[in-house]
Amino acid sequence: MSQTTVHALTPASAQWPALPALGNLDAYISAVNRMPMLTAEEELRYARELRDHNSVEAAGKLVMSHLRVVVAVSRQYLGYGLPQGDLIQEGNVGLMKAVRRFDPEQGVRLVSYALHWIKAEIHEFILKNWRMVKVATTKAQRKLFFNLRSLKADLKASHAMTEGEQYRTSLTDREIDEVASQLNVKREEVIEMETRLSGGDVVLDPTPVDEEREAGHFAPIAYLADHTHEPTAVLEAKERNFLATDGIQMALQTLDERSRRIVQERWLNVNDDGSGGMTLHELAEEYGVSAERIRQIEVAAMKKMRKAMVPALAAA
C-alpha cells in the first residue's frame, strides 16, 4: 500500500493519531486497528459537518475510524491470490466513496452503508485482475463468481458423502440445481462458472529449461503468436494478392487468343469444388486438334505467363 494514500486519509485534528510512513502491511493493519472508534453521536455529528460544510476534517475522521472495517473485509477475498495490500487499497477507495455519499438522516450507521461500497470496489478489482480473460460480466455472473466457492463448501458439508467421494471437487447434478436455485441463475451458468474457476491460470511465456524444449514442451506463447504481421508474411500476402488480380490479367494479355482461352477454360473458369472447367478432350474437339496438342499449347502458355509476371511482380 502506498504511503501517499495513507497520508491522504490522515485527519488534521491533533486528537487523532496520524499514520506514520509504514514499511509493511502488518504495520499498517496494526496502526489502523488502534484508531479510535466513533460513537453513534460522534458519527452523526461528523457526517452532518461533511454534508453541510464539506468539512475535510470530518470526512477524515469518518474514514479513519472505519479503516479497520476495510481490513476485515479484505480478508474474505484472500483466496483469489491477489495481494491483501491491493485489496485494502481498493476497499479504501470504496470507503471514501461511501463517506462522500452517506446520508446521516437515514437512521443507519456508516459501517452498514459502507460495506456495500467497500465490497463493490474489491469485487471490481478482483474481476479485472484475477484472470486475463474476464470471468463475469453480468450482475448474475458476478453474484455467482463470488458465492460459488462458499456454496460448494456448504453443500459438501451438508450432504452425506461416501468415503470414496471425500476428495470429489466437482458439483453433482443435484448440487448444480441447488446452486442455480439459491442464486437465481441458469443451470448452464453454474456449470460454466465452475469450469472457469476450477481451471488454473496458464503462464503465457515462462522460460522453459533446455530439457523441456528438447522434449517439445513449449509455453502457449509459442503457438498463440500472431505471425500475420511479420515482414515476410506481409510480403508474401502482397505478392499473392497481386498475382491473383492484376498480375494474372497482365500475363494473359501476352498470349494469343487461342492460348488465352485454353488457359481460362482450364484454370480460371473452375468452381471451388474443381468443377466447371473444360477438359483437354473437350477443347481438342472444339479446335479440331488432339488432346496432346492442347496440352502442349497450355504448357507453353503457362511458361510465357510466368515469364511475363516476373518484371511485373518486381515493379509491384
Side-chain angles (χ1 to χ4, degrees):
M1 181 171 294
S2 65
Q3 296 179 11
T4 302
T5 301
V6 172
H7 288 308
L9 299 177
T10 304
S13 174
Q15 297 179 355
W16 284 65
L19 290 179
L22 304 175
N24 58 67
L25 181 62
D26 291 336
Y28 171 81
I29 293 176
S30 177
V32 298
N33 284 335
R34 293 195 302 269
M35 301 299 294
M37 299 290 292
L38 295 177
T39 65
E41 292 75 14
E42 290 173 331
E43 181 180 295
L44 183 62
R45 184 172 74 254
Y46 291 136
R48 286 173 175 168
E49 288 181 13
L50 174 60
R51 180 196 62 189
D52 298 337
H53 306 291
N54 200 26
S55 171
V56 176
E57 181 178 353
K61 291 178 179 179
L62 291 171
V63 170
M64 296 292 283
S65 64
H66 288 80
L67 290 178
R68 67 179 68 196
V69 177
V70 177
V71 172
V73 172
S74 71
R75 294 194 183 101
Q76 303 173 18
Y77 300 94
L78 295 180
Y80 295 99
L82 297 172
Q84 187 180 10
D86 291 345
L87 298 174
I88 292 174
Q89 186 92 328
E90 297 301 318
N92 285 344
V93 173
L95 172 61
M96 289 184 281
K97 288 182 178 180
V99 168
R100 170 56 63 183
R101 293 168 172 80
F102 181 59
D103 183 357
E105 311 305 333
Q106 291 297 318
V108 298
R109 294 296 299 269
L110 175 59
V111 63
S112 301
Y113 180 76
L115 281 174
H116 164 77
W117 291 94
I118 295 170
K119 291 182 178 180
E121 290 296 324
I122 293 177
H123 286 185
E124 191 69 25
F125 175 74
I126 292 174
L127 291 173
K128 287 181 178 179
N129 294 275
W130 193 53
R131 291 267 180 91
M132 287 180 64
V133 179
K134 303 301 182 292
V135 296
T137 54
T138 66
K139 184 177 181 180
Q141 288 175 337
R142 293 186 179 207
K143 184 178 180 181
L144 182 57
F145 176 86
F146 288 106
N147 288 277
L148 183 57
R149 287 182 175 179
S150 59
L151 281 178
K152 285 176 65 174
D154 294 341
L155 289 172
K156 294 182 188 305
S158 62
H159 293 165
M161 298 170 58
T162 64
E163 185 176 348
E165 292 179 317
Q166 60 181 334
Y167 298 110
R168 176 174 57 83
T169 58
S170 59
L171 292 172
T172 64
D173 288 341
R174 183 179 65 169
E175 290 170 344
I176 290 174
D177 291 334
E178 290 186 32
V179 172
S181 177
Q182 289 187 41
L183 297 180
N184 193 29
V185 296
K186 296 179 181 179
R187 190 175 188 276
E188 294 75 15
E189 292 179 331
V190 176
I191 297 174
E192 180 184 2
M193 187 61 67
E194 185 190 13
T195 301
R196 291 181 177 185
L197 292 177
S198 62
D201 289 332
V202 179
V203 180
L204 286 178
D205 191 18
T207 305
V209 296
D210 293 339
E211 290 80 6
E212 289 179 324
R213 289 188 180 276
E214 292 175 359
H217 299 159
F218 293 95
I221 196 68
Y223 51 82
L224 292 179
D226 181 8
H227 302 289
T228 57
H229 297 291
E230 291 182 354
T232 54
V234 172
L235 182 59
E236 291 175 357
K238 181 181 178 181
E239 291 180 353
R240 285 195 302 269
N241 292 336
F242 173 76
L243 294 176
T245 54
D246 297 340
I248 196 169
Q249 292 300 323
M250 292 174 60
L252 284 172
Q253 297 305 315
T254 64
L255 303 178
D256 60 80
E257 183 177 350
R258 183 176 65 172
S259 298
R260 183 164 57 249
R261 183 166 185 275
I262 290 175
V263 171
Q264 289 177 326
E265 292 295 340
R266 291 280 292 153
W267 298 99
L268 301 181
N269 295 339
V270 180
N271 298 324
D272 294 337
D273 58 0
S275 63
M278 296 181 68
T279 66
L280 292 174
H281 293 284
E282 289 174 337
L283 288 167
E285 182 177 352
E286 179 178 333
Y287 286 104
V289 296
S290 66
E292 175 61 21
R293 179 56 184 155
I294 296 296
R295 189 191 67 80
Q296 293 173 354
I297 296 174
E298 177 186 344
V299 171
M302 298 294 284
K303 287 182 179 180
K304 188 174 183 179
M305 289 178 65
R306 280 194 292 268
K307 186 177 180 180
M309 283 184 180
V310 172
L313 186 60

